[in-house]
Amino acid sequence: MADTANAAIATAAATAAPTYKQLKEDFVSNLSGGSVAEIAQVCAVAPVVALLWSALQARQSFFTPYTAEAFVVDFLLNVGALLLSVTLYSRAPLLLNILLLTAAAAVCLVPAAAPSTRKKKPQLPPNAQFKTASAPLGVLSTKPFLTHYRGNMLVVTCICILAVDFRLFPRRFAKVETWGTSLMDMGVGSFVFSAGIVASRPVLKERAEGRSTPLATRLVQSLRHSLPLLALGLVRLLSVKGLDYAEHVTEYGVHWNFFFTLGFLPPFVALFQSALKVVPSYAGLAILLGVMYQVLLESTELKAYILAGPRTDLISMNREGMFSFWGYLAIFLAGQDTGMYVLPRDLKPRRVIGLVSSKRTALLHTLSAWSLLWITVYLFCTSYTYGAGLTVSRRLANLPYILWVVAFNSALLLAFSLVDALFFPAFYRAQDAKVEKEAYDAATSRVLRAYNRNGLAVFLLANLLTGLVNMTVRTLDVGRIATMGILGGYMAVVTGVAVGLDMYDVTIKL
C-alpha cells in the first residue's frame, strides 16, 4: 500500500512539474515591455557607432584597404557594440553611448593621417580599367546612411531573436503580450518599414521612365516575391510543429508566423497602388488604413475578438496574424513613402532664407520635417485620442503602434543621414557613377553592406541557427559568460557568411 501511495505521489509530482518547453513559453509570455525613452537610448547606439566608424574612416582611412584588422574592428563596432547594448549594458545604454561618443571625439582630435601615409586602394589591372570608366548618374542612388540604417536593423534583429531565449536578455526588451512598448516590438515593425523603403525603387524607376504597369502585371510580379516568403513560412510552421519547438501562440496565432505576414504584403501593396489616384501619397494611404483599422477596433467587437476570442476555426486560431497584418501593411506603405523622397538622386534643392540649399541639405530638411510630423502625430494619438489617449499594441498592430514605428524609424534615418552629411559630403557632390561608387565604398561599413545586400537570406540563416541553438542548449540554464560566448559565436558565424557572400559577389534573392 505504501509503495503504491508513494508511486502515486511521484506520478502526480511529475505531472505537475512544468516541462522545459512550457518554461520556455512562460519565459516569453505575459510581458509588459519598457519605456519608449529607454528603447530610444538602446537604439541610439547604432547611429553613435556609425559616428565612431565614420570618424575612423574619414580621419584615418582606417577601413581602406579592408584588411583583417579592419574587419575585426568593423565587427566589434557594428555587431559587438549592439550586442553589448542589449546584454551587459542593457541597464546603462546611456553610459555605452557616452563611451562611444568619447571614443569618436578622441579620434576626431587626433591629427588626420597625411595624404602620403594614408592607405591606398590597390590599383586595378589594365584590362579591368573599363569597369570603372566614367558613367552618367542614374535616377536612384544607394546612399551610405541607408545601408547603415538597414544593416544595423538587421544586425539587432539577428541578435535579439536568439538573445531573447537567454536570461541575460532583459524581459522588458522582449515582445509585449498585449499593451506596451519593447525593443523587439520595434524591431518587427522596423523590418517591415525598411522593406517598404526598398519597395519604392521599382515605382520610382517606372515614374522616371514615364511608364505605368497594369494592375494584373503588378499582381503577377508581386506573387513572384510572395511565393518564396510563403514557402519559408510553411517550412517554419512544419518545423515548429514537427520538432515540438516552444512557441508563443498569442504572438501571431496557432499557425501564422512573421514570414506569412511578409509574404502577403506584396500583392496587397500592388492593389493599394491603384488607390493612389484617390489618395495621392503612400503616407496618406498608410494614415487612412491605420485610422480605419483603429476605428474598427474601437467601435466594434473586433478588439475583444482578437484578444480574447475562442479558437474554433482557422481564422480564429490565427486572428492575431491576420488582423495585425493591416497594421503592418500601413507601416510598409509609410516606409514606401519614405523611400520615395530618400532614394531619388535629384531631390530638388530648396531656397532657405534667400540661399539655395544643396541636395544634401535638402535631404536633411525633408527628413527633419517628416520626422517631426510623425512624432507629433504619434504624441497626439497616444496623449489625446479618445480623451485619455490610445496605447501601443504590437499584438494588434494598432494605430499607435504604426505611428510609433514610423516616427521612430524616421528619426533614426535622420540621425544616420546627419552622420553621413558631416563626414562624407563628397558622396553628394559626385558627378559620375565611378566617383559616386568610390565615395559610397569609402563611406560604408563592409559588414553592414554585407547584411544589407542579402538581408532576407541572412535573416533566414539567423532563424535556422537560433533553432539549432535552442534544440542543443538549455538556454534558460546558461550563465552570463557562456551566454555572451554563444551569442558572440553565433553573430560571428552569421556575419562571416554575410561578408563571405559579399566578397564573392553573391546576391541571394528570396
Side-chain angles (χ1 to χ4, degrees):
M1 291 289 291
D3 291 341
T4 304
N6 290 335
I9 294 173
T11 302
T15 303
T19 63
Y20 182 70
K21 177 185 176 183
Q22 184 60 51
L23 289 174
K24 290 289 294 290
E25 292 174 354
D26 293 342
F27 191 56
V28 295
S29 301
N30 302 313
L31 303 176
S32 56
S35 69
V36 172
E38 183 184 37
I39 297 167
Q41 291 177 26
V42 174
C43 292
V45 171
V48 171
V49 166
L51 182 70
L52 176 53
W53 186 96
S54 299
L56 283 169
Q57 176 68 347
R59 299 283 294 177
Q60 304 297 329
S61 296
F62 187 86
F63 301 99
T64 305
Y66 200 73
T67 61
E69 177 190 13
F71 169 73
V72 171
V73 175
D74 199 3
F75 175 81
L76 290 177
L77 286 178
N78 288 297
V79 178
L82 298 180
L83 176 58
L84 288 175
S85 71
V86 299
T87 52
L88 299 181
Y89 279 85
S90 60
R91 293 182 178 273
L94 188 58
L95 174 60
L96 181 58
N97 280 306
I98 292 173
L99 293 174
L100 292 168
L101 285 171
T102 303
V107 172
C108 290
L109 291 175
V110 174
S116 59
T117 61
R118 286 185 180 179
K119 303 170 186 176
K120 296 182 179 180
K121 292 182 179 180
Q123 296 294 320
L124 290 173
N127 60 354
Q129 292 296 327
F130 72 94
K131 295 182 179 179
T132 59
S134 178
L137 294 171
V139 176
L140 308 179
S141 66
T142 304
K143 299 178 174 65
F145 79 88
L146 282 175
T147 300
H148 281 195
Y149 157 75
R150 294 192 73 241
N152 272 285
M153 183 272 300
L154 287 163
V155 168
V156 173
T157 300
C158 291
I159 291 172
C160 288
I161 61 175
L162 177 58
V164 70
D165 295 313
F166 293 86
R167 295 192 184 277
L168 183 58
F169 188 82
R171 293 301 88 195
R172 64 186 183 280
F173 288 175
K175 290 177 182 176
V176 172
E177 184 71 20
T178 302
W179 307 106
T181 56
S182 77
L183 179 65
M184 290 193 72
D185 287 343
M186 174 54 67
V188 175
S190 298
F191 200 101
V192 174
F193 183 87
S194 67
I197 294 178
V198 176
S200 63
R201 295 185 70 89
V203 179
L204 287 165
K205 287 181 179 179
E206 280 188 10
R207 292 185 179 182
E209 295 169 2
R211 59 187 177 86
S212 178
T213 305
L215 176 59
T217 304
R218 286 203 304 268
L219 285 174
V220 172
Q221 293 173 346
S222 68
L223 288 175
R224 293 175 183 171
H225 292 290
S226 291
L227 289 177
L229 292 166
L230 295 176
L232 290 175
L234 184 59
V235 170
R236 176 175 173 79
L237 170 63
L238 295 176
S239 60
V240 166
K241 300 299 182 182
L243 298 173
D244 198 29
Y245 193 75
E247 53 184 328
H248 191 193
V249 173
T250 57
E251 185 177 347
Y252 294 107
V254 177
H255 309 102
W256 199 279
N257 58 60
F258 188 54
F259 286 111
F260 287 135
T261 297
L262 294 176
F264 283 113
L265 282 171
F268 278 90
V269 170
L271 289 172
F272 270 74
Q273 285 180 348
S274 302
L276 289 176
K277 297 176 182 178
V278 180
V279 182
S281 76
Y282 288 104
L285 283 175
I287 289 292
L288 180 61
L289 180 60
V291 169
M292 291 175 60
Y293 177 48
Q294 188 64 44
V295 169
L296 286 174
L297 289 173
E298 299 297 330
S299 61
T300 68
E301 298 297 320
L302 179 60
K303 181 165 63 176
Y305 171 73
I306 296 174
L307 298 180
R311 300 185 187 276
T312 56
D313 52 32
L314 188 62
I315 293 178
S316 61
M317 286 181 181
N318 299 284
R319 56 182 183 267
E320 291 91 349
M322 289 184 175
F323 288 101
S324 67
F325 171 81
W326 300 106
Y328 289 117
L329 177 58
I331 292 172
F332 188 95
L333 291 170
Q336 198 163 14
D337 185 81
T338 302
M340 299 298 285
Y341 62 80
V342 166
L343 291 178
R345 180 175 284 102
D346 60 345
L347 185 66
K348 294 182 180 179
R350 297 187 299 176
R351 186 172 294 277
V352 181
I353 317 178
L355 301 175
V356 178
S357 63
S358 64
K359 292 180 179 180
R360 178 179 42 149
T361 307
L363 178 62
L364 292 175
H365 288 164
T366 305
L367 279 170
S368 299
W370 276 104
S371 298
L372 181 61
L373 175 63
W374 287 115
I375 291 171
T376 302
V377 176
Y378 164 71
L379 292 175
F380 176 81
C381 180
T382 53
S383 301
Y384 302 105
T385 312
Y386 288 94
L390 297 171
T391 305
V392 172
S393 173
R394 188 266 320 152
R395 183 177 174 185
L396 296 171
N398 60 355
L399 181 61
Y401 177 72
I402 295 168
L403 296 174
W404 177 50
V405 169
V406 177
F408 199 96
N409 280 272
S410 298
L412 204 57
L413 278 169
L414 175 61
F416 279 111
S417 65
L418 283 170
V419 173
D420 247 22
L422 178 64
F423 287 98
F424 303 107
F427 174 85
Y428 297 91
R429 295 197 297 264
Q431 297 300 314
D432 64 70
K434 176 187 174 182
V435 175
E436 184 184 73
K437 178 65 168 58
E438 291 176 349
Y440 170 81
D441 290 341
T444 309
S445 158
R446 183 67 176 270
V447 166
L448 297 182
R449 190 173 70 202
Y451 271 88
N452 184 67
R453 180 173 185 174
N454 289 294
L456 197 54
V458 171
F459 179 61
L460 176 60
L461 172 64
N463 274 271
L464 294 174
L465 291 177
T466 296
L468 179 62
V469 171
N470 275 276
M471 291 175 63
T472 56
V473 178
R474 291 176 66 91
T475 56
L476 297 184
D477 302 330
V478 178
R480 293 166 62 90
I481 296 176
T483 295
M484 292 303 297
I486 293 172
L487 291 176
Y490 153 77
M491 287 306 299
V493 171
V494 174
T495 304
V497 171
V499 173
L501 290 173
D502 185 59
M503 288 179 61
Y504 285 98
D505 198 27
V506 176
T507 300
I508 302 175
K509 294 186 177 181
L510 297 176

